[in-house]
Amino acid sequence: MTIPPSGPGAAPPPGCPAHRPPGASAAGLPRLYGPAFAADPDTTYAELRAQGPASWVELAPGVPAIVVTDYGAALEVLRSSRFSKDARRWTALNQGLIPMDNQVVPMMGFRPSLLFADGDRHLRLRRTVDDALARVDSYRVRAFVRRSATALIGEFGPAGSADLVSQYAERLPALVFTQLFGCDDALAGRMSRACARMIDAEPATAQQGSEDLARCLGELVAVKRRSPGADVTSWLLHHPLGLSDEEMIHQLVVLIGAGTVPQSAWISSSVMLLLTDDRFAGDLSGGSLTVSDALNEVLWEQSPMANFCFHYATNEYDLRDDSGAGLLIPPGVPVLVSHAAANTQEPRDGGGRRPANHAHLAFGAGPHVCPAQGISQIITDVAIETLLDVLPDVALAVPASELTWRPGPFHRSLSALPVTFPALPAPDSVPEPDSAHDSVPARTSAPSDTTSGGQPWNPPTSPSSTPQAETSTARRPGSAPRGRRRGWSFPVGWSRGR
């Protein structure tokens, strides 16, 4: 199907919602929100794929957009220079057809960050992030994740039950990223709460979350300008490419937004899969798939960022798949990539996906591919390894069919994951995460730590006072296996030197 060019005299054929011109009412379009979509998005994706590689949808009440559901077409959009990431091209928002307090605007509205930049400006902003993240020591990140995870488990362990979404998966990534940013404890808590509000279904709550996060990051930038340390914020501030305070705040918004909510979804969805699928819970000699395989399968089948990567065609763009089906995409309309639909599309060659296949689009592709994939993998890997080490007999507290998903177009995230386990003895002292005032150790050498002129980049740093954390946790007596023990297997951790 195609959309005729907008302008005087242009009108879509009556009764065909897929032919709507930009700015038209979203009424009658397939919805990527609401309880029905959250419960069964795959049915919607199948119906959209049947229309062609891209289709008109409604992201929220009154917000039309185009979603790309074909794997090949998604790669084309992600890699094409004929699409812009600049959200100031969004015609309906500019014309006031979508109010600024709409629930999706905090996620889609323009920010002066690398997420909404093109060309040379994107390259400049991206380099500052790549260089800063390259200085983080991955071994010490693993150690901090394990200590933080153990502390969180210690909080709910004596109860013998927990919601692993609200009490574990949502809290752990925020602990890690605020540590990487060099936040103190109070600011870390405020930032974590703000991130959770930003994706709330209630528009006022989402807007408030966006404002709260910007305020927190503004305070952090001011502190680090006065007193820099060995942390990502300070490394960004003192990068030779020179970020302004406004650019700094919005760079950090991208990092913490992308590093917490999708990360939480990846952890909780992976735990759910491990607890409900016998392929991942057999005896050590039973030939089960590994935990690493489970993490990868979640990225294929339940992509944490279900629909995102907004683009805007700079001119009319004829997007077609191999069969010739397609859509003429007009400029000024948000075009989002459905990572979930593209990843779950049946391979045209009829072959299945192997567990080790990492060609999914969960982290995007092209120039805007996620810059923190390595850190994300470490957090999820260690979070689940620690949970299953300390609570090897954890089990769902409700039938899997009763689990529900958060409504909304962007993320695929469980609302709750209630579990039970043999209660842990109340410890005399629960291990506390490393102080948020401590520094994040930098790599001793990083290939990207140079200025554009080839001179070494040596921003001010301070020695870390963070003690070396244990890299393994002894199983507590209260969680000793009862009966058949699950054969959780972590070859990824072994291969990375743990």
Side-chain angles (χ1 to χ4, degrees):
M1 293 184 176
T2 60
I3 296 179
S6 58
C16 185
H19 288 185
R20 295 176 187 273
S25 169
L29 293 176
R31 295 178 176 180
L32 297 192
Y33 65 93
F37 174 73
D40 183 21
D42 290 336
T43 295
T44 300
Y45 296 146
E47 293 171 352
L48 293 173
R49 279 194 296 260
Q51 297 180 18
S55 308
W56 284 90
V57 294
E58 188 179 32
L59 292 182
V63 183
I66 293 172
V67 62
V68 180
T69 54
D70 177 82
Y71 184 94
L75 282 176
E76 183 177 341
V77 171
L78 291 167
R79 294 169 174 171
S80 175
S81 61
R82 295 181 60 187
F83 283 90
S84 169
K85 294 282 289 180
D86 192 336
R88 291 173 294 187
R89 295 174 178 267
W90 189 0
T91 301
L93 187 67
N94 294 337
Q95 293 177 349
L97 299 175
I98 297 171
M100 291 299 295
D101 62 356
N102 188 283
Q103 65 203 58
V104 298
V105 171
M107 291 287 288
M108 296 174 59
F110 176 80
R111 298 178 188 272
S113 72
L114 76 166
L115 189 61
F116 299 96
D118 301 316
D120 291 341
R121 183 167 182 275
H122 172 255
L123 290 175
R124 168 178 168 269
L125 295 175
R126 175 62 185 246
R127 182 175 173 189
T128 64
V129 169
D130 287 344
D131 287 351
L133 294 181
R135 296 178 66 85
V136 176
D137 187 322
S138 60
Y139 178 83
R140 297 299 295 276
V141 173
R142 293 186 189 103
F144 179 74
V145 176
R146 178 169 283 275
R147 284 179 59 86
S148 301
T150 303
L152 291 176
I153 296 168
E155 291 180 7
F156 59 74
S161 64
D163 169 19
L164 291 183
V165 172
S166 64
Q167 294 178 266
Y168 191 68
E170 284 186 347
R171 295 179 62 190
L172 183 57
L175 279 175
V176 176
F177 271 87
T178 53
Q179 167 73 11
L180 292 176
F181 287 177
C183 296
D184 62 36
D185 294 337
L187 189 56
R190 289 169 55 200
M191 287 172 61
S192 177
R193 291 188 291 273
C195 288
R197 293 190 193 105
M198 281 184 67
I199 64 165
D200 196 278
E202 181 64 35
T205 303
Q207 182 62 34
Q208 185 63 52
S210 179
E211 294 171 1
D212 290 347
L213 181 60
R215 191 157 35 246
C216 290
L217 292 174
E219 294 175 21
L220 176 63
V221 169
V223 168
K224 292 301 177 180
R225 280 211 184 275
R226 294 193 303 268
S227 180
D231 51 65
V232 170
T233 308
S234 300
W235 295 331
L236 284 170
L237 276 169
H238 293 87
H239 194 283
L241 292 180
L243 297 176
S244 67
D245 281 2
E246 183 183 41
E247 288 176 326
M248 273 294 308
I249 291 171
H250 291 293
Q251 294 284 81
L252 294 174
V253 165
V254 170
L255 285 175
I256 197 166
T260 54
V261 179
Q263 189 79 64
S264 167
W266 192 11
I267 294 171
S268 57
S269 296
S270 298
V271 173
M272 180 194 70
L273 181 62
L274 290 166
L275 297 182
T276 58
D277 193 321
D278 287 340
R279 293 176 300 156
F280 303 101
D283 293 327
L284 286 173
S285 60
S288 310
L289 294 176
T290 67
V291 174
S292 178
D293 295 330
L295 268 59
N296 196 48
E297 181 164 315
V298 167
L299 296 179
W300 276 108
E301 304 294 336
Q302 303 286 355
S303 182
M305 291 297 296
N307 305 289
F308 204 61
C309 292
F310 289 95
H311 293 73
Y312 298 83
T314 54
N315 294 289
E316 285 187 336
Y317 190 91
D318 194 9
L319 184 66
R320 299 191 174 276
D321 61 20
D322 295 341
S323 70
L327 187 72
L328 188 63
I329 297 177
V333 175
V335 179
L336 71 156
V337 171
S338 179
H339 310 91
N343 285 343
T344 55
Q345 181 182 24
E346 287 298 324
R348 292 193 176 92
D349 59 8
R353 300 187 187 91
R354 296 184 178 182
N357 185 344
H358 295 276
H360 54 74
L361 299 181
F363 293 109
H368 285 269
V369 66
C370 175
Q373 293 182 49
I375 292 175
S376 180
Q377 176 75 44
I378 291 169
I379 294 172
T380 304
D381 186 26
V382 179
I384 295 176
E385 177 181 352
T386 304
L387 180 74
L388 300 180
D389 276 353
V390 181
L391 303 175
D393 298 313
V394 63
L396 281 181
V398 299
S401 59
E402 294 183 11
L403 297 175
T404 60
W405 301 84
R406 295 181 63 166
F410 304 127
H411 304 96
R412 183 62 172 166
S413 179
L414 286 166
S415 301
L417 187 61
V419 297
T420 60
F421 44 84
L424 301 180
D428 294 332
S429 61
V430 175
E432 292 294 335
D434 298 326
S435 169
H437 295 88
D438 291 337
S439 302
V440 179
R443 294 181 184 274
T444 54
S445 63
S448 56
D449 289 352
T450 57
T451 66
S452 56
Q455 298 301 313
W457 171 39
N458 295 303
T461 60
S462 59
S464 170
S465 58
T466 304
Q468 177 62 54
E470 296 180 2
T471 56
S472 62
T473 304
R475 185 169 296 110
R476 306 189 186 210
S479 63
R482 297 180 180 178
R484 177 173 175 269
R485 186 192 187 283
R486 291 185 176 91
W488 308 117
S489 177
F490 289 89
V492 172
W494 177 85
S495 69
R496 290 173 180 163
R498 288 206 303 281

